[in-house]
Amino acid sequence: MFDAPGPRFRRRVLWTSVVSGVVLLALVALGLRQFAANGQLDPVRWQPYLTWPVWRYLLGGLWSTVVAAFATGVLAMAGGLLLALRPNRFTRAYAEVMRTVPVLLLVYVMLFVLPSFGINLPVFWKLVVPLALSHAASYAVIFRAGVGSVDPGQREAGVSLGMTGGVVTRFVVLPQAVRHMLPLLVTQAVSLLKDTSLGYVVSYTELLFNGRVLASYTGLLIQTFVVVAVVYLVVNLALSRLAHHLEARRARTAR
Amino acid sequence: MRLVLEGFLNTVALTLLAFFGALLVGSAVAVLRIVPVPLLRAVGAVYVEVWRNIPLLAWLVLFVFGLPEVGVTMPLFWTACVAIALYEAAFVAEALRSGVSSVAHGQGEAARALGLTFRQSLRYVVLPQALKRVVQPLANIAIALTMATALAGVVGVVDMTRAAQRINLELAQPLLVFTGVGLCYLVMSAFIGYGARVLERRLA
């Protein structure tokens, strides 16, 4: 949408860069001053985060986060596959409901409703089951789009070779669909990983909950949660990069 | 019963205010991401990546419990509202950006070939087409935001989900209470979906 920039335009870009750079620096400085004025930049407050025990605790939390996300992912994908391959009134209603009801509400049901009916799952499942129920609906949407992106001729060719419907789905359509869906699946993994932070509510010792424990133990609230946020950022950024990379590769090979 | 009403109103208010804020901030970030100034573009990209890749609950905890420690005090409701708005703004920015880039390149080039300036081609050719295409993604974000407001309950705002949990402790009627609240969320998102369809037809 742009012309090749001429000298006047380039000068304007330069000026805007300089001005916005100065404004940006000023904002950052202002923020840092606010932090410093309240003693939050005090090296003593950050030093614990250079020690191994603290990191071991946080990384332990990260491991639990990954385990929960993985378990949720497997369950939700299985559920999503069922939902996607059997489109009927019930599965559509299920997807619609799960798209609108907060996961937290499902978590509360696990925490407060089911025990009164005598069902009291371990903490891990109190987190994983609601997440899986909710994410199954998102996976169903992804799967449906992925299967839809495979040329119908592929299925027809399979059927004309004498394969049964199930065999065609399993060996012809799904492998191709997965290639299309891969970037979306990775993106969904980011959202899964973020949602496991609800462990904070159910007292499952994942990253955010461990942050809470650490913060109440050391009293370094801001420092702890900033470090926790950075850990989330690094992990999810890596996943986002991967999704981006897969997407680019798909776009290249699609032609 | 008063608690139910308070929770419901808080959820509705949070949703409306946070969505409005997310639209404002998100549009600004989307503009940053498409202007021809590399520095501003980088700022936009960093904003989106940072907000999108950290869980909302972590943001809420940081804002609600962290801000007072650096001397910024706001009422609880507004702190939660700001955190949710800034978080969803990243998604709004992405939706708007992909809306703009989904308008075929040829459209922009044709506008430029006709001698329209950058601003004119954006204003009269690209944006009207983009607007139509972002209604549905924005509605999806609004629905996700409705769900996200439930997290405000974790940090102490009495929203609908939180109210349900507290009422349940008193009434011990879990099935009734939670189904009712679930229905409320359903109705809200049905409302959003309906509004989006009307808006889309108007713009078409």
Side-chain angles (χ1 to χ4, degrees):
Chain A
M1 228 156 25
F2 312 120
D3 287 326
R8 231 172 75 194
F9 186 72
R10 261 188 311 218
R11 223 170 314 145
R12 203 144 46 141
V13 166
L14 189 70
W15 269 114
T16 329
S17 298
V18 169
V19 171
S20 53
V22 168
V23 170
L24 209 65
L25 279 180
L27 279 176
V28 170
L30 209 70
L32 284 181
R33 216 194 62 173
Q34 189 69 27
F35 271 72
N38 289 279
Q40 297 294 348
L41 291 184
D42 207 348
V44 182
R45 299 190 74 103
W46 291 92
Q47 241 142 31
Y49 292 96
L50 298 174
T51 60
W52 173 237
V54 165
W55 273 101
R56 197 176 52 196
Y57 189 61
L58 284 179
L59 291 179
L62 179 62
W63 174 244
S64 304
T65 290
V66 171
V67 169
F70 187 78
T72 309
V74 170
L75 285 177
M77 271 194 231
L81 209 57
L82 275 178
L83 290 175
L85 295 180
R86 301 241 180 295
N88 57 37
R89 204 186 294 159
F90 170 73
T91 55
R92 259 194 295 271
Y94 178 86
E96 201 53 39
V97 170
M98 283 305 161
R99 215 170 67 102
T100 57
V101 173
V103 194
L104 186 62
L105 197 66
L106 299 179
V107 169
Y108 280 160
V109 168
M110 288 307 243
L111 281 178
F112 304 113
V113 179
L114 291 188
S116 66
F117 290 100
I119 306 168
N120 210 343
L121 297 174
V123 170
F124 178 74
W125 296 108
K126 277 183 181 164
L127 174 65
V128 167
V129 171
L131 283 183
L133 286 175
S134 152
H135 278 264
S138 335
Y139 276 113
V141 174
I142 296 176
F143 289 147
R144 220 170 291 145
V147 170
S149 71
V150 176
D151 190 325
Q154 294 283 331
R155 174 176 287 280
E156 287 159 16
V159 170
S160 69
L161 283 171
M163 297 177 181
T164 60
V167 174
V168 175
T169 304
R170 164 87 182 69
F171 290 102
V172 179
V173 177
L174 282 186
Q176 299 186 56
V178 166
R179 274 193 42 201
H180 286 282
M181 295 180 309
L182 218 49
L184 276 179
L185 289 180
V186 177
T187 312
Q188 189 65 24
V190 173
S191 125
L192 250 178
L193 217 67
K194 285 195 300 183
D195 275 359
T196 57
S197 61
L198 280 173
Y200 186 88
V201 181
V202 300
S203 308
Y204 170 63
T205 56
E206 46 76 52
L207 187 52
L208 193 65
F209 181 78
N210 278 8
R212 174 163 131 178
V213 172
L214 208 58
S216 60
Y217 178 66
T218 58
L220 306 174
L221 193 128
I222 289 191
Q223 290 75 8
T224 309
F225 283 108
V226 165
V227 169
V228 165
V230 169
V231 174
Y232 273 116
L233 182 64
V234 169
V235 174
N236 284 334
L237 210 55
L239 279 175
S240 303
R241 282 289 116 137
L242 178 66
H244 205 73
H245 173 76
L246 289 171
E247 178 63 43
R249 199 179 65 178
R250 196 187 65 82
R252 266 206 313 277
T253 53
R255 270 173 285 152
Chain B
M1 265 307 111
R2 272 234 343 272
L3 206 58
V4 185
L5 195 66
E6 189 193 342
F8 179 69
L9 289 181
N10 266 341
T11 292
V12 172
L14 259 183
T15 305
L16 286 177
L17 290 169
F19 187 61
F20 189 65
L23 275 185
L24 280 182
V25 178
S27 315
V29 175
V31 169
L32 284 183
R33 295 209 68 182
I34 55 174
V35 289
V37 182
L39 180 72
L40 292 180
R41 242 197 271 204
V43 171
V46 167
Y47 181 93
V48 169
E49 293 299 345
V50 166
W51 281 93
R52 219 170 37 162
N53 283 316
I54 295 175
L56 175 58
L57 196 51
W59 284 116
L60 280 169
V61 169
L62 258 179
F63 269 59
V64 171
F65 303 128
L67 280 185
E69 299 221 339
V70 290
V72 182
T73 45
M74 273 191 294
L76 180 60
F77 177 86
W78 288 104
T79 319
C81 192
V82 167
I84 296 174
L86 291 177
Y87 176 79
E88 297 289 345
F91 295 89
V92 170
E94 280 306 273
L96 292 180
R97 191 175 70 109
S98 71
V100 169
S101 58
S102 79
V103 176
H105 268 292
Q107 295 280 335
E109 280 161 16
R112 304 290 292 124
L114 286 171
L116 301 187
T117 64
F118 172 68
R119 217 166 283 162
Q120 280 173 326
S121 52
L122 206 60
R123 167 84 183 75
Y124 295 107
V125 178
V126 176
L127 280 187
Q129 298 185 56
L131 213 57
K132 208 160 42 194
R133 266 174 246 202
V134 296
V135 171
Q136 209 51 53
L138 283 183
N140 286 341
I141 291 173
I143 291 173
L145 194 148
T146 315
M147 295 164 69
T149 56
L151 290 179
V154 176
V155 291
V157 179
V158 181
D159 78 310
M160 200 150 62
T161 303
R162 171 77 161 211
Q165 182 235 336
R166 295 229 313 235
I167 293 161
N168 179 45
L169 292 181
E170 284 171 30
L171 283 183
Q173 286 273 14
L175 224 50
L176 189 76
V177 172
F178 281 93
T179 318
V181 168
L183 278 178
C184 283
Y185 279 107
L186 247 159
V187 168
M188 280 178 73
S189 68
F191 203 69
I192 294 170
Y194 175 74
R197 271 196 298 281
V198 170
L199 198 62
E200 209 168 27
R201 219 171 309 136
R202 277 278 200 78
L203 289 169

